[in-house]
Amino acid sequence: MTGVVVTLLYAPADRPELVTKALRSAADVVVLDLEDAVAPAHKAGARDTVREAVASADRSIQVRVNAPGTPWYEGDIELLASLRADLGVRLPKIEVPEQVADAARRLPARPLHLLVETALGVERAFDVARADPAVASLGLGEADLRSDLRCTSDEGLALARARVVLAARAAGLPSPAMSVYPHVRDLEGLRESCTAGRRLGFCGRAAIHPAQLDVIRSAFAPTPEEVAQAQQVVDRIGTATAAGVGALVLADGTFLDVAMVEQARFVLALASATAHE
């Protein structure tokens, strides 16, 4: 395990057959969805599916609950409080730190994964990311954000995406995963979008279909040249440290600093996480 999460796969919790398929997939994390993918009349049954799936599955799972303030939020929180403590909780439409603190208080020891999906949420992204030590990640919910911003293309999301990357890293959290790419059959568009997201500082992406997983993984994989450069940096610092050398220089004359070493280690971890078994 590298600790780097590259692929997350959503499964609507009111569809047991899709939940089973997702749990058998190669996704790093399966997200059982109680929110947008589940009609109001099916919420109770979806909770039963989550309870059964969590009890029988030995893998990394998160559950996306309904947003705070909705009629289903309390029932979702009660369900999660009764389940295993390592279960990740995906909190949608977060706008204020108090929402995070309330979930952390009622779900102790559970990692919280926050989604900001409104203009206000983006503006307060750093504050909510630091709201409680239980916060494990920060991300965007872009469908709702598009509606709130009234934007018609990805260009309108550029600032929000950059803000979330900055807020996550400033709060000491992992680089965020990208929001889902809704065009399931457009795998080339997905690849291009992931490549652009990696340049912005995202690491990985949520998927809504298993067919998207390999594309996401390969798009976020470092190139062989990046891996070779990173390995050279790590090897050079190890050799220099063992020899008691203070000035660290690569073969091309580039001086090393702490930031370069940390980035190199991340690249190697990402390469390991995206390698096909």
Side-chain angles (χ1 to χ4, degrees), residues 156-267:
L157 297 174
L159 177 59
R161 288 172 173 172
R163 287 286 296 273
V164 165
V165 171
L166 284 169
R169 298 301 295 135
L173 299 175
S175 298
M178 297 183 75
S179 184
V180 300
Y181 188 80
H183 310 294
V184 174
R185 296 181 181 178
D186 182 14
L187 297 182
E188 187 55 39
L190 170 63
R191 184 182 304 278
E192 293 174 1
S193 179
C194 290
T195 300
R198 188 182 172 219
R199 289 197 295 265
L200 284 175
F202 286 94
C203 179
R205 188 164 205 160
I208 53 176
H209 192 282
Q212 296 177 314
L213 296 176
D214 282 346
V215 175
I216 293 170
R217 189 174 288 107
S218 64
F220 279 95
T223 66
E225 293 76 17
E226 289 175 312
V227 174
Q229 176 73 5
Q231 191 64 61
Q232 182 186 9
V233 170
V234 171
D235 290 346
R236 182 70 183 92
I237 192 172
T239 302
T241 300
V245 177
L248 306 181
V249 186
L250 296 180
D252 64 1
T254 302
F255 277 84
L256 295 182
D257 60 22
V258 173
M260 291 178 63
V261 175
E262 290 303 313
Q263 176 65 6
R265 288 172 176 157
F266 173 74
V267 168

Side-chain angles (χ1 to χ4, degrees), residues 28-117:
D28 296 321
V29 176
V30 171
V31 182
L32 304 181
D33 193 10
L34 292 170
E35 195 209 10
D36 287 346
V38 180
H42 299 161
K43 300 287 188 184
R47 291 189 193 119
D48 292 337
T49 299
V50 167
R51 184 181 292 105
E52 294 170 6
V54 169
S56 60
D58 182 20
R59 55 132 60 239
S60 183
I61 296 175
Q62 295 176 17
V63 178
R64 182 167 71 170
V65 300
N66 288 276
T70 63
W72 311 283
Y73 178 71
E74 294 296 328
D76 291 349
I77 294 298
E78 290 176 6
L79 167 67
L80 291 178
S82 70
L83 302 178
R84 69 192 205 208
D86 67 331
L87 195 67
V89 183
R90 209 157 181 83
L91 293 171
K93 299 178 177 62
I94 295 300
E95 293 185 326
V96 294
E98 290 77 11
Q99 294 170 317
V100 182
D102 177 70
R105 176 182 58 81
R106 298 169 65 183
L107 298 171
R110 289 162 176 80
L112 304 181
H113 302 273
L114 313 183
L115 294 174
V116 292
E117 307 185 48

